[in-house]
Amino acid sequence: MSPRILVSFSPLRKRATIGGPMRMLAAAGMKSRIRGSGGGGSESDRSGPRNGRLMLPMWIILSSSLCLVVEGQMKLSPETVQKWAVSFGKEISALSTRYSGAKLLQKKYKDIEAAVKIEEVGGEELAKKFAEEMEEMLGRKMKSVKRLAEAAEDADLYHQYNETLMFEYFNSMLINTVDGNGNPLALGGDFALEKNEHFNKLPVNTQLSNIQVPTNVYNKDPDILNGVYMSEALNDVFIDNFQKDPTLTWQYFGSASGFFRLYPGIQWIPDENGVVTFDCRNRNWYIQAATSPKDVVIVVDVSGSMKGLRLTIAKHTINTILDTLGENDFVNIVAYSDYVRYVEPCFKGTLVQADLDNREHFKLLVDGLHVKGEGKVKDAMKESFKILNEAAALGQGSLCNQAIMLITDGAMEDFQSVFEEFNWPERRVRVFTYLIGREMTFAENVKWIACNNKGYYTHVSTLADVQENVMEYLHVLSRPMVINHDHDIIWTEAYMDSVLPTTKELFNSQAQSLLLMTSVAMPVFSKKKETLSHGILLGVVGTDVALKELMRLAPRYKLGVHGYAFLITNNGYILSHPDLRPLYKEGKRLKPKPNYNSVDLMEVEWEDTEEKLRTAMVRGQTGTMALDVRASVDKGRRVMFLKNDYFYTVINETPFSLGIVLTRGYGQYIFIGNVSVEEGLHDLLAPDLTIASEWTYCETDIDPAHRKLSQLQAVVQYLTGKEPNLECDGQLLQQTLFDAVVTAPMEAYWTALMLNTSGMEEGVETAFLGTRSGLMRFQRYAGVEKRIGKSFLTSTDMENMFTLDHFPVWYRRASEYPAGQFLYYTPRRETRDIFRDCEADYSATLSEEEVELEAEEAGRIVIATTAVTVTVGKKTAIAGAIGVQMTLDMIESKFWAIASQPNDTDCSDIDGICPLRCDSFDIACYVIDNNGFVIISKERTDAGRFFGEVDGSVMTTLIRMGMFKRVSLFDYQAMCKMNLHSVNSARPLLSPFYGLASALKWFLSNFLLFLLEFNICGFWHTDHFADASAHKKRGDMLQPCDTEYPSFVYEPSVKETNSIIKCGRCQKMFVVQQIPESNLLMLVVQADCDCSRQYSPITMEPEEVKYIL
């Protein structure tokens, strides 16, 4: 055994020794064995064969222990690792400095410090100025809508209804289509369409509007024809509005009879079944404008008589009512049979806001309703009145209309006493009744309830009846407004319009085209004397406002690298925020999240734990406050600690409030320089220069002739005097020209390096810089065919470009690192980010091949970046950032060359393994960044991964020692897979019965629907059956959730450390050394001790936050 121990010492470990008591014990053992074999009067010799038998197991134990100690005592020299770190730091710093030209750029800005001035950014003034500009812009939209409402009411006043009217109009589904003989379809014909930049590059007709009619509405019904004919008068108003305000987008009139007039006219594309389900009367802008805010209690009968199709119709009726509610409304649902129960027990006795989250929650609960027992509606009505009366008494709810919606198949009880106690004589609460099923036995009772409580009775016998019948209650609630002519203007919450004809393409690929917007709308009433007392609602007019256009009024350059602006409604919901993520990816499709337009400010600005910011903004106050925040970059993988100042104010005449955020430090100041137009224009035309295409340097959307100009083209046209009528941002142009002049020498510097082919390092691919004005320059040192980072700084690389809502990631990260020192990182390898919604962002606009290419190149490139500053007196502002993109192969080759001691190294003064080489099989060497992500490893696939996933034992030890700090971050917009076992903890015991019942329920409901909708033509189509197999398993579906996820940060006060990790039968030593002048660490680890059983990997995988109710 002894010779094997000695052989285990490789020549590279000649200084490793056996120490301590074990060394003495081993020596004694060897001495004893020598004596035994040599004879000669020793005690062991006299022991004979018995002693030899005892010695054999002793040696087995001893030699095993000796091997363990030898491996555990492998010693790594911190001094050697330090030398490597210093050498590598100098090497990469020299590379980055040389090929970026950072010192030259810093010198150029230093030279002009005497000619510039630095001003402190005034947050309160900015917020006030931005809010006033937004108020002016939104005011123009409101004026346009008022003109439409007046024109529609006047047109109706002078229109005489004609039952036999024959009128041809342009139906948006039938235009430009022909029949089998090549003849235009009725209500179709030629309708000129031309692609228009202003309308999302859709083919439109800016001279005419056209009409959309839902599939379930007869397009030649007399009410439709009269309404379309009357509303033709709106065409001239549409065009006049657009000429007065060229920033207007879609204008429309939604008729109470169901048709929808849209300007500019478009061709409406039906779904794959040839159906258009869009009904303007179901849209939020229509419902909010047609009615005032309301409190609604839905009372549903779940007694035994409601089984089968009746329950299906009742559930559909409830869901349709819920769809007519908005965030200004309040709701609850009560079910009754032998007893009264709330479908959500947590909402017992109260009203909840009818936001999207609560509506969807109610729908899930309603879907699980079952029937049993006898229906006792009296108690349910009493409970409903109590809810509404208590809300009114406490000043809760909408403080406006109140209504009870009774859904039943019959009412046998006498309710007069209930109404006398709770509602008569004022009849403050309206009661609407919905009689379900074909049975009419109790129709008179149900009708009496509605008619004696200022409500409306309707009979719903089939699923097809639900939509039209539910909508009737809106007309009843609108009557007081109509009679009083209350033309209240309403603004909707943010929404993503899915009704335009490019819906399929938008959701499948073009994420950038999915615009969040808000609508401003106004009701249109009949002014005819003979119907004035009846309160007839003709419809609703409105226009859309793209929130992106509104946010352009808060330009990024004024807010700084980490600054931003955001908008919320008076309900606290986000209208616009750079951290709002409305989409998620399911398979290859981008879809809106179920709750995308009901994300609360608290869910984005989650550091506002006391809700001070939210409360002040919801109340429409003006003020300021400061918060220490943990902000994430690189899709949540990295964290920054910022101190933000918040400035907020209300936007008058709207329910919106504006907030702006300025970050202390560099974000507090902005520097202003000045050069002549001639000098600046010369440098602005350089081929290596671009400006932020999403920023507004000049307004190109006012004059149609300017809409095809890029921002750079518009700036040049304006400065050269060719387009003097362009409206341009003078301060931004001044700063852009100044930056162009100061950065101009970089073009010559980079070109000279590229032309010096003999001195050019292979693997340096792109030098780049950016300034606060959105100006960028870059030089490609390598041709596209040789570049690894092919997509870096291309139009698809939105993370690294200036956009409407963020600065490039390399700029943001450099700004939080000491100026002059380079920060290094590798882009993330995976296309999926840390957020649970599988967000794809710009990658959704790419082909599969482009996404695969990007994933392949990410992790094989390294980006080095540093900030450039300007200092005047005691004030310092960031002028920009500069950097270089290199291949990982080149950086690796330099590292491996340094991290290897030659065999002839003088090891006399080195305490540890010598010579030490990172290419040894039992040594693992890494370079990781300040967030713990691997840049260099022997395993190429480790690059870009979090080090905790590679070696959990070492990362755990580094965290325990305080070298890395774990920081918790939260995502309140995540999407998680449904947990099938979270619905009811008692249900698993009965799961076979529930499974059988669910299967039977599905069969019966689908069979009934099939019989209801059956027709001989449809029988030949298998859609009814295909849908069942196409449904995803419920457990694979994604639903909104909250998650907590970690980020890790290096603690710079700990420059170096080494430690030994005990892992069962072996020990692992490691040495960590900071690489000077960088954000990197060098890590050398003993690799022949496997600690994976004792230490699990540390991942950055988010965990769902579970709430105990």
Side-chain angles (χ1 to χ4, degrees), residues 510-721:
Q510 301 171 19
Q512 297 298 316
S513 301
L514 285 166
L515 297 178
L516 282 175
M517 57 183 69
T518 182
S519 294
V520 53
M522 191 174 184
V524 177
F525 308 134
S526 173
K527 297 195 295 186
K528 293 178 178 178
K529 290 183 179 180
E530 61 270 24
T531 60
L532 197 59
S533 61
H534 297 168
I536 295 177
L537 175 74
L538 299 175
V540 174
V541 290
T543 185
D544 296 339
V545 181
L547 291 169
K548 184 170 76 172
E549 300 305 315
L550 194 59
M551 297 311 292
R552 288 186 191 276
L553 299 176
R556 293 287 313 171
Y557 79 94
K558 291 187 177 182
L559 301 173
V561 57
H562 298 308
Y564 55 90
F566 61 93
L567 287 168
I568 70 167
T569 69
N570 56 0
N571 288 308
Y573 294 139
I574 296 289
L575 273 177
S576 180
H577 194 291
D579 291 334
L580 179 66
R581 307 192 318 275
L583 303 176
Y584 76 105
K585 194 176 183 185
E586 192 172 63
K588 295 181 180 178
R589 290 170 59 88
L590 276 175
K591 301 172 68 176
K593 294 177 184 175
N595 60 338
Y596 77 93
N597 62 352
S598 59
V599 177
D600 196 273
L601 180 64
M602 282 287 297
E603 296 173 326
V604 178
E605 299 289 348
W606 48 267
E607 298 279 19
D608 180 27
T609 53
E610 297 180 8
E611 299 191 34
K612 291 181 179 179
L613 176 66
R614 182 190 186 278
T615 302
M617 294 187 70
V618 166
R619 291 176 177 173
Q621 296 174 356
T622 297
T624 180
M625 66 176 292
L627 282 176
D628 292 315
V629 302
R630 290 160 280 178
S632 66
V633 292
D634 200 13
K635 295 298 180 187
R637 286 164 33 112
R638 307 176 190 276
V639 65
M640 295 184 300
F641 299 93
L642 307 175
K643 191 167 189 67
N644 286 343
D645 287 311
Y646 292 78
F647 304 89
Y648 50 86
T649 190
V650 69
I651 301 176
N652 294 323
E653 306 299 324
T654 76
F656 308 145
S657 284
L658 168 72
I660 67 168
V661 178
L662 300 176
T663 302
R664 292 188 188 176
Y666 294 134
Q668 289 177 277
Y669 303 108
I670 184 171
F671 84 93
I672 300 170
N674 198 8
V675 293
S676 68
V677 171
E678 293 76 15
E679 185 181 6
L681 188 57
H682 173 269
D683 293 322
L684 196 64
L685 296 173
D688 69 327
L689 185 146
T690 63
I691 58 176
S693 60
E694 293 188 8
W695 291 14
T696 304
Y697 296 81
C698 292
E699 184 56 71
T700 58
D701 207 29
I702 296 176
D703 187 338
H706 298 151
R707 286 180 183 146
K708 292 187 178 181
L709 293 176
S710 69
Q711 282 297 312
L712 184 57
Q713 290 170 337
V715 169
V716 172
Q717 294 270 1
Y718 175 74
L719 293 176
T720 55

